[in-house]
Amino acid sequence: MDDHALRALLDRDPAAGTQAVLDRYGPLLGYVVRGILRDPQDAEDCLSDISLALWRNLARYDPERGSMKAWLTALARNTALNHWTARQRQEAHRAETGQEPAHWDTPERAVLRKERAEQLRAALDRLSDRDRQLFYRKYYYLQSTAQIAAELGLSERAAEGRLYRLRQRLRRELGGDGDD
């Protein structure tokens, strides 16, 4: 079943459509989630949340902007990162009960963060497909260098070298000094 048929099924019967999407893309979603969340129970909880998020956010999926696979991958990654962040906060809170975070977000920081994200997106668009894939695997999907190297047919040393040069290039383009 292609993405258009899945979307039509989701519109007609959300429960059956959600199950069809999970049957088709479940292994990919699990792959993304388990790359971020190492605890199997956290990963299972996250996959359940992704099912719910799929159902709730279906109206946000726009086939004109990208494939369902890309949309689901981003949904899985963001949900997994939210789980990871929540877990980190819980652990930090347990360790330091009674203290407020020292880094409250301000409107100015939010605007600066958005501008930097736009600059990064533009710099990534100028990369070759292979370099962009390397970047996303390492820094977006949080894959290990060994896993990236194995899946892209590179040695670990070659992957590390490419990542190093890629970081230098992006740092120069984004106004950094280029040193690592």
Side-chain angles (χ1 to χ4, degrees):
M1 184 178 299
D2 68 359
D3 287 351
H4 295 292
L6 281 173
R7 177 60 194 248
L9 180 59
L10 281 163
D11 289 339
R12 264 192 333 273
D13 185 356
T18 299
Q19 188 57 51
V21 167
L22 293 176
D23 289 344
R24 179 166 182 195
Y25 292 112
L28 172 65
L29 300 177
Y31 176 80
V32 170
V33 167
R34 283 187 290 280
I36 296 170
L37 302 172
R38 305 292 188 227
D39 183 316
Q41 185 59 48
D42 284 348
E44 280 303 313
D45 292 344
C46 183
L47 287 169
S48 295
D49 287 350
I50 290 169
S51 300
L52 183 60
L54 167 65
W55 198 4
R56 286 184 178 164
N57 296 315
L58 183 60
R60 292 183 182 175
Y61 169 61
D62 180 5
E64 298 296 319
R65 292 186 63 202
S67 70
M68 183 172 285
K69 179 179 177 181
W71 182 73
L72 288 169
T73 302
L75 180 68
R77 176 199 177 263
N78 292 340
T79 304
L81 286 175
N82 288 344
H83 270 257
W84 184 82
T85 302
R87 173 60 66 111
Q88 297 298 353
R89 285 184 182 152
Q90 288 172 352
E91 290 174 8
H93 181 69
R94 276 187 228 130
E96 302 174 11
T97 54
Q99 292 184 353
E100 284 188 68
H103 60 282
W104 288 103
D105 204 17
T106 64
E108 293 83 9
R109 285 185 181 165
V111 168
L112 289 173
R113 191 172 46 252
K114 184 177 180 182
E115 287 175 358
R116 290 295 282 178
E118 289 170 2
Q119 290 172 344
L120 176 60
R121 213 170 287 116
L124 290 173
D125 286 343
R126 291 188 294 271
L127 296 176
S128 69
D129 287 339
R130 187 170 177 105
D131 284 345
R132 191 177 315 114
Q133 184 179 29
L134 210 77
F135 177 88
Y136 278 112
R137 284 175 174 257
K138 182 68 175 179
Y139 302 109
Y140 190 80
Y141 296 117
L142 305 176
Q143 293 178 341
S144 69
T145 305
Q147 181 180 4
I148 295 168
E151 291 179 2
L152 295 180
L154 301 169
S155 68
E156 278 189 61
R157 185 159 167 80
E160 288 170 355
R162 289 180 70 95
L163 285 165
Y164 175 78
R165 288 187 299 277
L166 182 57
R167 282 192 312 270
Q168 284 184 317
R169 176 180 172 185
L170 290 173
R171 192 172 286 134
R172 278 191 307 272
E173 285 188 33
L174 297 173
D177 58 10
D179 296 333
D180 206 33

